[in-house]
Amino acid sequence: MSNPHPLSPHEAAQLLGWYAQMGVSEGLDEVAHDRFAASALPEPSRAEVVRPTAASDVAGRSLPAGREASSPRPSATPASSPRPAPATMVAPDIAAESARAAASAATTLNELKAALAAFEGCALKASAKNLVFADGNPAAKIMLIGEAPGADEDRLGLPFVGRSGQLLDRMLASIGLLRERDVYITNLLPWRPPGNRTPTPQEVAACMPFTQRHIALVNPDILLCIGAPSALALLGHTGILASRGKWSQFAVGERQIRAMAMLHPAYLLRQPLQKRLAWRDLQALRAAIDGGV
Ligand code: URA
């Protein structure tokens, strides 16, 4: 459909400049486009689907090697072959069934990771650079579940490695816990939502069988839900400020383990005064560990 109010080059440049100032660094749609298929279309249709895909961000600046806005991730399908069809083509009920079947068939964390990598029921996979599975010690008693990877996590394929992850490490260290030794860290979603938007309930639901299997395979004694989406999805808590720091029970198979919601470090970076609440929750965690959980 033609745009009734086309932008002049000057207006378009201003709009791109505004996007850049607002922190938009990549030109992505909700679902990735198959540019290779697009290039096979007749000319008139191509004009509709082809967008700037050169090595530049939305403001037209050159991107460093490896950060091309629409280039496939290094481990993705080589440029000469078409990308797989977008994951949205899988109907939600079929996706849910395939998630349940694939997750329950996994008997080890490696199998679960492979099952997630093969899962086509969450459209975020198509726009993410990497699957972000987990980090830390799989034998740890404490399992942390955040929301979803951000840009740094997406780039490196590990959870909580950006600014909020560094704060999380410092928070853990303040009560004597080390990421590599004492905790196991994952997210509700293994793929980055474009622009770091909050995951939709549908995306969380699509991946939930994997999250539940992940918890069952790690079999922790303490579950920490980091941030509101995790607290809602796993503990049913609405209102993180009211529910944080309160212990509840979480069923892992036949076992009931202790679970607590905590404020997300990204929120604490924006609201540093709330760190005092996080400190109380960390002390509650330390007391639970010292008391033998
Ligand atoms: N925020 C999250 O919830 N998870 C990450 O891995 C990074 C930021």
Side-chain angles (χ1 to χ4, degrees), residues 146-150 153 158-160 164 187 226 264:
E147 180 177 333
E153 290 78 16
L158 289 170
F160 282 104
S164 61
N187 282 308
I226 308 298
H264 197 289

Side-chain angles (χ1 to χ4, degrees), residues 30-102:
E30 291 289 315
V31 173
H33 296 272
D34 185 346
R35 309 286 178 206
F36 299 102
S39 64
L41 294 174
E43 279 308 314
S45 318
R46 260 178 82 182
E48 279 186 78
V49 290
V50 173
R51 307 217 172 88
T53 57
S56 61
D57 63 13
V58 291
R61 294 172 305 215
S62 293
L63 291 168
R67 292 285 293 135
E68 289 84 356
S70 57
S71 67
R73 55 197 154 107
S75 58
T77 314
S80 55
S81 50
R83 292 185 65 145
T88 44
M89 296 186 74
V90 178
D93 52 340
I94 296 176
E97 186 45 45
S98 95
R100 275 192 294 274

Side-chain angles (χ1 to χ4, degrees), residues 19 40 94 119 197 203 238:
Y19 281 150
I94 296 176
F119 181 54
R197 64 162 170 73
E203 288 159 355
T238 50

